[in-house]
């Protein structure tokens, strides 16, 4: 009996207008592709301990794999099995002296990775990009308005306290209370009430249905902490904070009582804020650190030649932006904003700043990796005539200051200079202000003293989540201050409509319109969607790399191990 018959049941092709030979070729290739996918899945199960060696061999042979090949595949999978031990040191291209262990204040990748290392959330995005329960074992809703989160039992905080619904309620009050300063406050504004139903069930009532709400509770800001202690770094995560120096380093040790199986393999972890990309690269090459984020693409070929270093690339929803604050002159003028958007040579930025590791942006924060990406919007390209037309119409004259630092993203200063050069062709004078890396996120970004600057966003898996994080009027991180124009008012209403819409086609229409409004009227200049490019020592092993954040979904410390 042909071993491919099993795979034929799940493999189909369009045979219309194909010759017999073409049909056979496509069918054969399809069977091979499905078989390879099946074997890789079995290898992953063996690596994670879900099946043993005998079970793997049985399934491989049944799939038509020769015994010697099956043995080799089994050996590779076993070699990749996570191992405990060692001290993991990572250099991160972010960090500020204003950093804290309060997840509500987290605003850069240094605090983001820290937060995921010692804390957990009700839900999370796994390595496959799927939303799954974390501290909530299950979550459910019949109408999108009332959400029930069934908590895992037996989960302990680092202080020995067992997590219950009391802690979840206290954590959410920290982020959504009247006096809260949490960056998640805007995202949680639809929550009308939250209550406990026993020790292990939490019920959240929204002001209107929101089918994306389980994504919102995965937000890295909304870490679950013990009632009465929201800021010290006590969590339920795989590592326990030993020391924390804002903008410098964090030292953590493995949590011996971590509730997740097959996670948190290192004995000790040291997370270092190394903002300068050359310093991070030097530290990795010299062996002072084991991994780094945000590889400087100008030197990536040099790093690729190093036999001890792996380069990793993951493409997701991340993007680089130059937000214009509408409440700061001259960016409140529509034509001035349009002039600057048409004055950017986006492809030049992809070629010279990203060196091909990314794609052009179109002044919306939703990328092609998102399900409801509006591909109907015409792609903006450099057009000196259109830029000059809108600039003249704005009535502005003189220099326009653009603040940038490589703390925003590697190559941000160079990108700003390229933008200034292309704008000159339209008669627009952009003055690039090179800001200090230290303190950039507190002194420059999202600050009325600087009306236009460079920024980066990791993106969000759900469109309404991205809008809530940075574009709705009540968001603390509305870095364009796009709030009061007619389009902004309409946008805010539509975001609420999108949250409650249960019909997918109608939801798509609403989200497309939200993107069009930002594209047409907003202060967002988004010329680039960047790939996550990081590097690590070949001593590091890992499974599938997530693309929802840099550094394996910012959960590398929990997911990686020493080979």
């Amino acid at each position: 009996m042909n071993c491919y018959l099993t795979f034929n049941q799940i493999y189909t092709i369009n045979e219309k207008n194909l010759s017999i030979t073409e049909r056979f070729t496509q069918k054969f290739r399809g069977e091979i592709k499905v078989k390879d996918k099946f074997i890789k899945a079995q290898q992953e199960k063996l690596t994670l301990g879900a099946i043993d060696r005998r079970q793997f061999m049985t399934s491989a042979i049944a799939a038509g794999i020769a015994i010697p090949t099956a043995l080799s595949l089994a050996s590779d999978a076993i070699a990749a099995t996570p191992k405990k031990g060692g001290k993991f040191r990572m250099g991160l291209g972010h960090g500020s002296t204003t950093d804290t262990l309060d997840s509500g204040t987290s605003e850069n990748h240094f605090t983001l990775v820290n937060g995921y290392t010692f804390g957990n959330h009700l839900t999370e995005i796994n390595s496959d990009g799927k939303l799954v329960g974390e501290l909530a074992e299950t979550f459910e809703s019949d109408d999108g308005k009332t959400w029930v989160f069934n908590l895992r039992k037996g989960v302990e905080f680092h202080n020995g306290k067992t997590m219950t619904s009391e802690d979840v309620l206290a954590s959410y009050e920290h982020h959504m209370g009247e006096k809260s300063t949490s960056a998640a406050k805007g995202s949680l504004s639809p929550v009308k009430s939250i209550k406990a139903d026993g020790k292990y069930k939490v019920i959240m009532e929204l002001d209107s249905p929101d089918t994306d709400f389980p994504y919102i509770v995965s937000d890295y800001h909304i870490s679950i902490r013990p009632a009465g202690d929201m800021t010290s770094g006590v969590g339920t995560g795989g590592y326990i904070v030993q020391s924390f120096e804002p903008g410098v380093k964090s030292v953590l040790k493995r949590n011996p009582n971590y509730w997740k199986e097959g996670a948190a393999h290192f004995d000790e972890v040291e997370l270092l804020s190394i903002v300068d990309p050359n310093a991070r690269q030097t530290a990795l090459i010299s062996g002072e650190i084991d991994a780094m984020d945000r590889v400087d693409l100008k030197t990536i070929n040099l790093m690729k030649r190093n036999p001890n270093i792996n380069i990793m690339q993951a493409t997701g929803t991340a993007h680089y932006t130059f937000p214009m604050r509408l409440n700061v002159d001259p960016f409140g003028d529509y034509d001035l904003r349009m002039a600057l958007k048409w004055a950017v040579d986006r492809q030049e930025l992809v070629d010279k700043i990203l060196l091909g590791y990314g794609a052009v942006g179109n002044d919306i924060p939703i990328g092609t990796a998102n399900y409801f990406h509006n591909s109907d919007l015409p792609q903006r390209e450099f057009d000196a005539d259109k830029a000059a037309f809108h600039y003249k119409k704005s009535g502005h004259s003189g220099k326009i200051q653009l603040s940038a630092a490589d703390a925003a993203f590697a190559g941000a200063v160079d990108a700003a200079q390229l933008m200034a050069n292309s704008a000159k062709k339209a008669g627009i004078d952009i003055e690039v202000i090179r800001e200090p890396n230290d303190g950039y996120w507190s002194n420059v970004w999202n600050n009325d003293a600087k009306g236009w600057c460079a920024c980066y966003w990791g993106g969000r898996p759900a469109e309404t989540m991205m809008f809530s994080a940075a574009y709705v009027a009540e968001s603390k991180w509305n870095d364009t201050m796009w709030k009061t124009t007619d389009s902004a008012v309409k946008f805010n209403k539509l975001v609420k409509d999108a949250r409650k819409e249960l019909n997918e086609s109608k939801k798509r229409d609403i989200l497309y319109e939200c993107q069009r409004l930002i594209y047409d009227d907003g202060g967002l200049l988004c010329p680039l969607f960047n790939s996550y490019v990081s590097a690590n020592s070949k001593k590091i092993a890992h499974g599938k790399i997530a693309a929802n954040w840099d550094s394996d979904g910012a959960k590398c410390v929990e997911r990686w191990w020493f080979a």
Side-chain angles (χ1 to χ4, degrees), residues 44 47-48 80 82 127 312 541-546 552 559-561:
E44 186 172 348
T47 296
L48 298 176
S127 296
M312 294 191 300
H542 52 77
K544 184 176 181 179
I545 297 295
D552 197 356
R559 296 172 177 171
W560 296 0
W561 64 92

Side-chain angles (χ1 to χ4, degrees), residues 187-392:
S187 299
L188 293 174
S189 61
V191 180
K192 185 170 65 175
S193 68
I194 177 171
K195 63 182 180 180
D197 181 6
K199 295 177 66 175
Y200 298 105
K201 182 179 289 187
V202 172
I203 301 173
M204 298 190 200
E205 187 79 20
L206 310 184
D207 57 16
S208 60
D210 185 354
T211 55
D212 292 331
F213 186 69
Y215 283 97
I216 291 176
V217 301
S218 75
D219 183 349
Y220 64 92
H221 294 104
I222 316 173
S223 175
I224 304 303
R225 308 290 180 88
D229 184 2
M230 296 292 124
T231 60
S232 72
V234 172
T236 58
Y239 294 87
I240 303 170
V241 176
Q242 302 298 300
S243 64
F244 178 76
E245 299 176 59
V248 181
K249 72 175 180 178
S250 180
V251 177
L252 309 96
K253 288 188 177 180
R254 184 198 296 140
N255 176 7
N257 299 316
Y258 194 33
W259 60 273
K260 277 189 186 180
E261 295 184 5
H265 307 290
F266 303 115
D267 288 334
E268 186 177 352
V269 173
E270 191 170 86
L271 300 175
L272 301 165
S273 172
I274 309 176
V275 176
D276 182 76
N278 291 325
R280 285 199 307 282
Q281 176 179 305
T282 300
L284 180 63
I285 292 173
S286 66
E288 296 177 50
I289 59 175
D290 305 297
M292 61 174 280
D293 68 344
R294 306 178 78 196
V295 171
D296 187 344
L297 298 179
K298 294 192 295 293
T299 59
I300 193 169
N301 289 329
L302 174 64
M303 297 191 73
K304 282 182 175 180
R305 292 196 291 268
N306 190 308
N308 300 314
I309 292 175
N310 278 324
I311 300 293
M312 294 191 300
Q313 177 184 1
T315 303
T317 58
H319 49 284
Y320 292 155
T321 70
F322 292 86
M324 297 174 276
R325 295 177 74 77
L326 270 67
N327 63 327
V328 178
D329 288 335
F331 307 105
D333 185 90
Y334 169 83
D335 284 292
L336 188 283
R337 298 195 300 275
M338 291 300 294
L340 294 175
K341 291 178 182 182
W342 286 111
V344 178
D345 188 333
R346 299 158 196 263
Q347 189 59 52
E348 181 182 40
L349 294 180
V350 171
D351 296 340
K352 295 182 179 179
I353 302 301
L354 298 184
L355 300 183
Y357 288 89
V360 295
N362 201 26
D363 300 333
I364 57 175
I366 308 302
T368 55
N370 287 99
Y371 188 64
F372 293 114
H373 168 75
N374 188 346
S375 57
D376 295 340
L377 296 173
Q379 175 62 56
R380 281 202 178 108
E381 299 177 352
F382 173 70
D383 191 317
D385 292 336
K386 287 184 179 179
F389 169 80
H390 284 288
Y391 187 62
K392 181 179 180 180

